[in-house]
Amino acid sequence: EKAGFEHFMMKEIHEQPKAVEDTIRSVVKDGTIDFSGVGMTEEDMRGIRQIYIVACGSAYHVGVAAQYVIEDMAKIPVRVELASEFRYRHPLLDPEGLVVVISQSGETADSLAALREAKSRGIKTLGIVNVVGSSIAREADNVFYTLAGPEIAVATTKAYSTQLIACYALAVQLAKVRGEIDDSQYAYYVAELETLPEKMQRIIGDKERIQWFAAKQAAAKDIFFIGRGIDYAISLEGSLKMKEISYIHSEAYAAGELKHGTISLIENGTLVIGVLTQQELYEKTVSNMVECKSRGAYLMGLTTYGNYNIEDTADFVVYVPKTDPHFATSLAVIPLQLMGYYVSVAKGLDVDKPRNLAKSVTVE
Ligand code: M6R
């Protein structure tokens, strides 16, 4: 059942290119995105004044990435919120808003409660859900089914990756129907989306290098992930993967926030992972990495091929293929999933069933 892999998590990491391709194919036909299967018309899309993305854990991290993508492409204000906070804060909701609930299981208690709260206020809802017929899928006004297939490992990988695709497709389609991008930009984004599975495959093919590096981190006490913009969203997910299965304390910081407190935690040899896929923020994050290094940090850089001068700063570098910067999360997350996995294996831990955690959190 693990198809020759030692753990479900590794099997699912390998299933990502296919899961992403299937999810893209479910909405992209002949170079055109079609949301009719989701049940959203162009008229619905033109009328949206505000988007609220509500989710937990990794699905929330998808929302953080999506917030940057949707606002930048479609010019619609987006607010992303933890479902456990949303449900109790009596949120002020724009009646012309759209509440997007992202959930692999479709059963997460807080996410389901958030969906019900939105519906009871008469706000339109869209579920991005993996499990067919789950509660969120049944109750949302519209559903985008991610085609990840069954995910067994507690640490999500392929479901997360397909949730990103759903959000990108939504962003590109919203941008198009609202006239924020022209036909050639639209064609470019759709074509770029279609290149992701092959690029993901290439990153997975390089896994031994990450394994070698990860094995050396097994004794780490703390790991910090830093990045700006979309690279911050990637950092959040990398950090969660690490702590969830390797039991190493880790934190993700928006790189500019370090100086406001956290940098005092950097000691000699503390691993700091700088995520640098966003070219316009590259130099800024590099300078934050340099600040960490001068306090003794050991630096890993995660960036795109071409940014070879990162080797002047970082002690270890992982390169991923280039894509449009909006879609960078899909590629850069993979080395971080592999890092968490290999550290967990090096420590001899139960990768697929980490302590204290359940696959689906049905109590609040
Ligand atoms: O089923 P859901 O997508 O609603 O689950 C949300 C979180 O519980 C989930 O993403 C959790 O954070 C994962 N274990 C992270 O790997």
Side-chain angles (χ1 to χ4, degrees), residues 56-59 102-106 108 154-156 163 240-241 244 361:
C56 301
S58 292
I102 308 177
S103 175
Q104 187 284 128
S105 62
T108 300
V154 165
T156 181
Q163 289 162 353
L240 181 60
K241 287 281 94 77
E244 182 176 30
V361 183

Side-chain angles (χ1 to χ4, degrees), residues 120-141:
S120 74
R121 309 253 217 111
I123 313 292
K124 270 247 160 69
T125 57
L126 167 67
I128 296 178
V129 181
N130 196 47
V131 176
V132 176
S134 57
S135 303
I136 294 173
R138 276 185 280 112
E139 295 187 28
D141 297 315

Side-chain angles (χ1 to χ4, degrees), residues 214-235:
K216 301 201 301 182
Q217 311 308 321
K221 190 161 62 86
D222 307 286
I223 300 180
F224 295 92
F225 293 75
I226 63 170
R228 291 167 185 259
I230 285 177
D231 290 331
Y232 172 53
I234 298 167
S235 299

